[in-house]
Every structure is written in C-alpha cells, then in structure tokens.
Amino acid sequence: MNVFKFGGASVKNAPGFVNVAEIIAFFKGEKLAIVVSATGKTTNALETVVKSYFYKDGTALEKLDAIKRNHYEIIETLGLVGTEIEQDVNDLFVEIDWILDDEPHDQYDYIYDQIVSIGELVSSRILYHTLRSRGINASWLDVRGVLFTDEIHREAKVIWNLTSEKVNASIRSLLEHSDVVVTQGFIGSTTENHTTTLGREGSDYTAAILSYCCNAEAMHIWKDVPGVLTGDPRKFENVVKMEKLSYKEAIEMTYYGAKVIHPKTIKPLQNKNIPLYVRPFDNPSSVGTKISSEAEGFYPPIVVIEEDQALVSISVRDFSFVAEQHISNIFGILSELRLKVNMMRNTAISFTLCVQHHQDKLLQLKEKLENEFSVNIETGLEMITIRHFTKEAIQEMKRNKLTLFEDRLQDTIQLVVKEIPLITRKKEDEK
Ligand code: ADP
Ligand code: ASP
Ligand code: MG
C-alpha cells in the first residue's frame, strides 16, 4: 500500500481535481491512501473568516460566501451538480454557519480549528465524488476518527499509540473493499472529539503519519515542481532537480526553511525506512526526487531563503559576562512565546539571535528582557542558508547585500543579510 499526498496547488480548480483523478487512475491496481489539502488558497481565506468573526468586523459571512461560491463553481465545472456532493458540501459549510450565528465565546485558536478544518473536509469530499464519478472504487475516511492529538489548538501533537492502532485498522479494512481511501491532511481530533489542526502546511505531515501507521511501501507527494530543487524556483533561476536525497539532507533542508516539504514529515518515514518521492503532478510517470536512507552522493550547493527575519541583540547592562543563567532566562522566554531561534551566537557580554519577525512576540520579548538587558531589534532581514557551499555560491548570495551575521559549519553557511540601498547617479537632465 502506498500513500499519496496532494496539496492545495494540485486541487486549486476543477481541472486540478480531474488531473488528480487521472494520476490515481494511472496507478490502477495499487492500493492507495490519499491525503488531500484544502483547495488552492482556501486555508488562507478561512483564516480571514475566523479573524473577521472573532474581531467582529462584520465581514465574516461575506468572506465565507466567496469561499462557498468558489467550491460550488468547482463542483459545477466537474459536472457534479445534482449529485449527492452538493448536500455533502452544504452540510460541511453549515457547520461554519452555525458557529458564525453565535457570539465568539471560545478561545481564538479553538475557533480557528473548528472553522479552518472545513477546507480539508470539503476538498476531500469533492475528490471522493470525482473519483467515484470516474469509476474508481474509492472510499472516504474522516481522519478525525483515527488521528488523535492533544488539545494544543493550531499546533496539536499526535498521540502516537492510539493513532497508530486506529489508522492502521481503519485504512486496512477500508482497502479490503475499495482500491483507494480518500482522507484529509492537516486535521485531527482530541479524544473528546474536538477538531484540531497540526500547523500550517501540515498535510505532508499527515501523509507521513499515515505511512508510518500503515507501514506503507512508499509515500508520494505530488507537487507543481519536478521534484526537490537546489533552490526555490520562485526565487532563483538555474535551479536543478536532485534525483535523490538522504533523509538527513532532507531534514536539514526543511529545518533551515525549504518550503518544499513540511519539516516534521521526514522523521516518521525515516523511523520505518519508508522512501518519500516528491513528484510532479503534471507528469505522473516521473518519479521526481527519491528521499531515502540510501548512501549519500555528491550534493551541489542547495540554497534556502527565509524572508522577514529579525536580528535581536541582547546585551547585559552591567558588563557582567553572559552566563548560563542569563541564557537559560532568555530561552525560557523564547519558549514561552514559542519563538523559534534560527541562528544564535554569544560573546562575553552579548547574545544575538535571528528569529522570524513576529511583531507582537518581539515586543513582548523586548519587554520581558529589558529589566536585565539592553535589547536592540533589527527587522526586514533575510536569512540565507547554503548547504554544500562553494566560494561562488556565497559570492552570488552576497551580491548587493550587507551581511550582518554569518555562521559557518563544515557543510553549511548561514547569512543574515539586508539589501544595500543602491545609490545611482542622476541623469544629466535631472540635476
Ligand atoms: P502544496 O500545494 O503541496 O502545498 P507548496 O506550494 O507548499 O505545495 O510547495 C511547492 C512549492 O515549494 C513550489 O511551487 C516551490 O515554489 C516551493 N519550493 C521551495 N523550495 C523548493 C525546493 N528546494 N524545491 C522545490 N520546490 C521548492
Ligand atoms: N491546508 C493547510 C494549509 O494551507 C494544510 C496544507 O496545505 O498542508 O496550511
Ligand atoms: Mg503547501
């Protein structure tokens, strides 16, 4: 049995759903568990519904209507109007209507999970009906009945023992009388039946959880790129596809922020030695990039960019050395604010760290530290990581940039940079 994952980009419109159905038909004869994300940018759109509802700006219903229209349009283009699917999708959206009918009493993150999760439930119903209408023997699974988590809404952690047992039993039994099981990425449930989510972009992780629990032969993520490339094609030219990567290389790349796979995806797969293929959804016969435990080969320079970074410089006021106690206090606050440190360094009297620029969290950090330390925060920066760097690759990345912070390990260099404002000569007639 194999696990396929289709992200938002692969089901952004009706032709996307048809393409996914064709890929599945291409693998006729295989038993498949299929994890699907919400269509296109639906999760972002649902997030704005939550915000409008919670902060009562009066536009939540209007925003929800636009999302509904978009889905009904997909159903119409797929030629599925008048089938059971309309009722199905209605029933799911009604759950949001009910929430919006009431005043927001619950915590923001709880409400978020109840509303945003509908995106995956709807897209998986559409995919299920699309497959059935094309003669594919598909069944549908509400993943919330098998993937159990703790109660940390928006960042729920999996309860592995329970999930493992439930996922394996239900998928195996569904695959006894169907060829494919369609289910949702990104969402789960507490043991009290409250819906949770696993963190943005979490569908890759769901597919890895299911692969782990069912001892899948392989997991396949279908993307709008030929495979894992040496850099983000939206940002760089001349990037090339890598035929294979080790789990270690993949985990390093995603840790440093490569957006192609969710960072939590690799561990469950590595633990059971399940290979991961990152493949192009516009060419089902290509195997894309294989990520596995196979011996490492030669890697070209691989570049990962994290935008919108902040550099926080923390120095002791009284010139005493930065000691373990200081560092422990600083990390206590960072952990409380759930701020992930991307790079750090300490000198005798200062401590510098690079984090994602979250305005609110950084203000809180400054406030909490200012009794003991003087704190300076610089924003609008970029963090560039080059794995397997060469002199030329470093030069290219530093071009027209001012490097504020640099850290070099044997096979990885990290730079925090800012744009150098270019001064250009005025033309004669502008003087
Ligand atoms: P999905 O629809 O599966 O959620 P995403 O948009 O999250 O897809 O991920 C695919 C995108 O990841 C690509 O379009 C590409 O721009 C980006 N990306 C970033 N880094 C890489 C990389 N190293 N290799 C391939 N794609 C990358
Ligand atoms: N739909 C969710 C998101 O956009 C999960 C995912 O796509 O992986 O974050
Ligand atoms: Mg994604």
Side-chain angles (χ1 to χ4, degrees), residues 126-140:
I126 300 180
L127 181 59
Y128 163 72
H129 285 288
T130 309
L131 297 179
R132 303 277 308 181
S133 74
R134 295 174 155 252
I136 296 170
N137 182 9
S139 53
W140 183 86

Side-chain angles (χ1 to χ4, degrees), residues 121 140-149 162-171 174 183-184 187-191 193-196 210:
L121 288 160
W140 183 86
L141 170 70
D142 186 336
V143 83
R144 296 172 300 174
V146 292
L147 198 161
F148 290 99
T149 71
L162 183 60
T163 298
S164 213
E165 181 196 314
K166 298 274 184 199
V167 164
N168 191 33
S170 76
I171 291 187
L174 287 168
T183 194
Q184 311 76 43
I187 69 175
S189 168
T190 66
T191 49
N193 289 333
H194 294 299
T195 302
T196 51
L210 303 192

Side-chain angles (χ1 to χ4, degrees), residues 70-217:
N70 189 266
H71 285 84
Y72 289 128
E73 242 173 69
I74 293 179
I75 293 172
E76 201 182 321
T77 317
L78 287 169
L80 294 173
V81 171
T83 65
E84 188 193 339
I85 190 176
E86 273 184 304
Q87 189 58 42
D88 261 16
V89 169
N90 263 335
D91 290 350
L92 289 165
F93 281 128
V94 159
E95 292 192 28
I96 307 186
D97 290 331
W98 284 338
I99 299 174
L100 301 191
D101 270 352
D102 237 348
E103 287 292 300
H105 297 299
D106 292 305
Q107 298 253 334
Y108 191 93
D109 290 354
Y110 174 84
I111 297 173
Y112 176 103
D113 282 354
Q114 313 317 305
I115 292 180
V116 169
S117 54
I118 301 294
E120 266 67 15
L121 288 160
V122 171
S123 67
S124 65
R125 285 308 286 181
I126 300 180
L127 181 59
Y128 163 72
H129 285 288
T130 309
L131 297 179
R132 303 277 308 181
S133 74
R134 295 174 155 252
I136 296 170
N137 182 9
S139 53
W140 183 86
L141 170 70
D142 186 336
V143 83
R144 296 172 300 174
V146 292
L147 198 161
F148 290 99
T149 71
D150 64 11
E151 285 101 41
I152 312 290
H153 288 283
R154 293 180 74 175
E155 257 180 72
K157 304 275 170 311
V158 176
I159 305 173
W160 279 98
N161 289 347
L162 183 60
T163 298
S164 213
E165 181 196 314
K166 298 274 184 199
V167 164
N168 191 33
S170 76
I171 291 187
R172 297 249 163 234
S173 104
L174 287 168
L175 284 178
E176 269 171 29
H177 54 83
S178 56
D179 293 328
V180 307
V181 179
V182 178
T183 194
Q184 311 76 43
F186 177 56
I187 69 175
S189 168
T190 66
T191 49
E192 309 274 274
N193 289 333
H194 294 299
T195 302
T196 51
T197 61
L198 307 175
R200 285 302 307 265
E201 301 294 328
S203 296
D204 293 348
Y205 182 42
T206 304
I209 297 167
L210 303 192
S211 301
Y212 177 95
C213 298
C214 297
N215 291 311
E217 237 168 80

